[in-house]
Amino acid sequence: MSRYQRWNALLDLLPGDGQLTVAEAAQALGVSHATIRRDMDQLARQQLVTRTRGGVVAGHVSYDLPLRYKTALRAPQKQRIGRAAAALVAPGAAVALNGGTTTSEVARALATHPDLQDGAPAVTVVTNAMNIANELAVRQHIKIVVTGGVARTQSYELIGPFATLMLEQLALDWAILGVDALDPVAGATAHHEGEASINHLMATRAAQVMIVADASKLGQRAFARVCAVAEIDVIVTDQDADPAALAAFTERGIRVVTA
């Protein structure tokens, strides 16, 4: 387990009362007390937790780790989701992608999908994610449109009124959105209201909305709504998803693809 994976796991281990001891964390993760102490010190320096004598307590944050810390978490599932999502995109389509590890995998799959190699461009990608734009800029068969806006360092996403002004001028075939949580009642939600607002606008400008989310996101709720269940056309998730959780979406007329 890498240190970034341990940091994610440590935050996941924080119980409802927001307290976690070094001994509890070391036993749960199977590493030494010294390693856990160093990890807790690092998380405290980033103000994700508050260090105590025997462990940590929850800080005033949503536990939305910076994107660079998330890349290894459930990576195989996200790669399969990315390929399955890209397979649904027709040549010549205009696609909006927001930021996140799962949509980054969608971008990579779009760049290498054999059906999307021909034409000029084979696909147009509109994104507010700086890392996605940077990665796809070298692909000559993909037209990249970047929204502009103010960068949010947690996710590399551009948000704010500049992004809004640009997106309001577009007509898209797909909005492919990664979310922090997906619930059959609350819909798709995100921790940060600024990201949620831009993601919602992407959804309203698209003919179809696809949510890409691994199984850990299902049945969860976050602070700000991205889109209601009625606005979602397709959900792409992984095979670890609970069939009962998926049935709650299919009963509402949403196509569910497991990868």
Side-chain angles (χ1 to χ4, degrees):
M1 182 182 289
S2 72
R3 62 174 178 170
Y4 295 148
Q5 288 176 300
R6 288 199 311 274
W7 293 355
N8 277 284
L10 280 171
L11 294 178
D12 288 339
L13 285 171
L14 278 167
D17 61 5
Q19 299 182 6
L20 182 67
T21 68
V22 170
E24 291 169 340
Q27 182 177 9
L29 300 183
V31 297
S32 69
H33 286 207
T35 296
I36 291 298
R37 290 191 188 97
R38 286 193 295 269
D39 289 341
M40 288 180 171
D41 289 342
Q42 288 291 334
L43 292 175
R45 290 189 187 101
Q46 296 169 70
Q47 300 181 352
L48 293 168
V49 296
T50 299
R51 196 73 164 88
T52 64
R53 185 176 181 83
V56 292
V57 296
H60 299 291
V61 295
S62 65
Y63 304 120
D64 183 15
L65 280 176
L67 186 68
R68 64 184 180 276
Y69 299 159
K70 297 181 180 179
T71 53
L73 193 64
R74 297 182 65 85
Q77 293 92 331
K78 293 175 181 179
Q79 290 163 3
R80 293 197 301 270
I81 290 170
R83 291 191 293 268
L88 300 177
V89 176
V95 179
L97 291 176
N98 67 343
T101 53
T102 308
T103 47
S104 294
E105 293 298 342
V106 176
R108 293 178 185 120
L110 286 171
T112 57
H113 196 284
D115 292 342
L116 301 175
Q117 297 293 319
D118 299 325
V123 64
T124 297
V125 172
V126 178
T127 187
N128 68 325
M130 294 184 292
N131 64 307
I132 290 176
N134 180 67
E135 190 162 335
L136 294 184
V138 298
R139 305 285 185 170
Q140 295 184 359
H141 61 289
I142 295 180
K143 178 181 180 180
I144 292 291
V145 180
V146 183
T147 63
V150 178
R152 184 169 183 261
T153 56
Q154 291 288 95
S155 61
Y156 304 150
E157 285 185 281
L158 301 169
I159 62 174
F162 296 124
T164 298
L165 287 170
M166 187 271 192
L167 285 168
E168 287 176 340
Q169 309 305 312
L170 302 180
L172 304 164
D173 297 300
W174 281 103
I176 302 180
L177 305 175
V179 297
D180 292 317
L182 183 59
D183 180 82
V185 176
T189 51
H191 291 307
H192 190 272
E193 66 279 4
E195 290 181 6
S197 176
I198 294 301
N199 298 345
H200 174 74
L201 181 55
M202 286 181 174
T204 65
R205 303 307 302 167
Q208 296 186 82
V209 175
M210 184 191 311
I211 302 297
V212 289
D214 67 73
S216 68
K217 308 291 181 63
L218 302 184
Q220 304 297 316
R221 301 185 183 194
F223 173 66
R225 175 179 282 185
V226 173
C227 59
V229 172
E231 299 173 279
I232 301 171
D233 298 286
V234 181
I235 294 171
V236 183
T237 187
D238 63 79
Q239 296 176 359
D240 295 333
D242 181 2
L246 300 181
F249 293 105
T250 57
E251 289 168 0
R252 288 163 170 78
I254 299 172
R255 179 184 177 187
V256 175
V257 177
T258 55

